[in-house]
Every structure is written in C-alpha cells, then in structure tokens.
C-alpha cells in the first residue's frame, strides 16, 4: 500500500481524484472503527512515509512494538475487507 501522500493524484482526472478520496476516506473509517489507538497511530505514521524507527521514536515504543501493531492492524483490516466481500 502506498503512503497516504501518494494515494491521491491531483494531476489525474476529476473522477479519479474523487474515487481516490472516497477510497482513502473509506480506509481511514475502517481504521478508526477497527483498530486500537496504538494500531491506528502506527498505521498513520507508517502509511505517511515514516520508517519503523521514526514511528517508534515518535510513539516512545520499540521498533518491534511498531511491527507488532502494524501486523495486528493489517490482519484486522484484511479480515474486514474479506467480510465486506
């Protein structure tokens, strides 16, 4: 998944920009509803382009804790996507 800063392409057609924004909003809603606060914070940092080390430093946790939170978040979001199908 690309960093959030790369999800929206302002140079694209208006339809593709709207569709991209809808997908981004949907993803963020799913994250807010399904993830713990820590998992959400880690996802937002990592998907915004931060490294594991940067996320760990910002959240005052270890890089392993960042990885664990990210893996839990991915499992939860993947399960939600499967349920939606």
């Amino acid at each position: 998944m690309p960093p959030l800063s790369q999800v929206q392409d302002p140079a694209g057609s208006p339809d593709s920009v709207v569709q991209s924004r809808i997908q981004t909003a949907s993803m963020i809603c799913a994250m807010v509803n399904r993830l713990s606060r820590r998992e959400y914070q880690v996802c937002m940092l990592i998907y915004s382009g931060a490294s594991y080390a940067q996320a760990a430093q910002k959240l005052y946790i270890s890089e392993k804790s960042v990885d664990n939170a990210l893996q839990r978040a991915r499992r939860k979001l993947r399960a939600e996507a499967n349920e939606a199908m």
Side-chain angles (χ1 to χ4, degrees):
M1 176 176 253
L4 289 176
S5 61
Q6 296 177 3
V7 171
Q8 299 176 1
D9 180 13
S13 71
D15 288 341
S16 68
V17 171
V18 169
Q19 184 63 29
S20 177
R21 288 184 180 173
I22 290 170
Q23 289 173 342
T24 301
S26 175
M27 179 182 66
I28 291 174
C29 280
M31 290 170 65
V32 168
N33 292 329
R34 286 285 284 211
L35 304 181
S36 71
R37 182 176 180 196
R38 175 59 44 87
E39 292 163 350
Y40 177 78
Q41 290 171 326
V42 167
C43 284
M44 293 306 290
L45 287 168
I46 296 299
Y47 293 138
S48 293
S51 68
Y52 278 36
Q54 291 168 329
Q57 183 179 16
K58 183 156 181 105
L59 298 173
Y60 303 104
I61 59 177
S62 69
E63 289 183 44
K64 181 61 178 164
S65 293
V66 169
D67 183 57
N68 289 343
L70 191 58
Q71 296 307 317
R72 284 192 311 272
R74 286 178 176 159
R75 276 194 304 272
K76 288 178 181 181
L77 294 173
R78 195 174 301 122
E80 182 167 307
N82 288 337
E83 289 172 9
M85 291 181 165

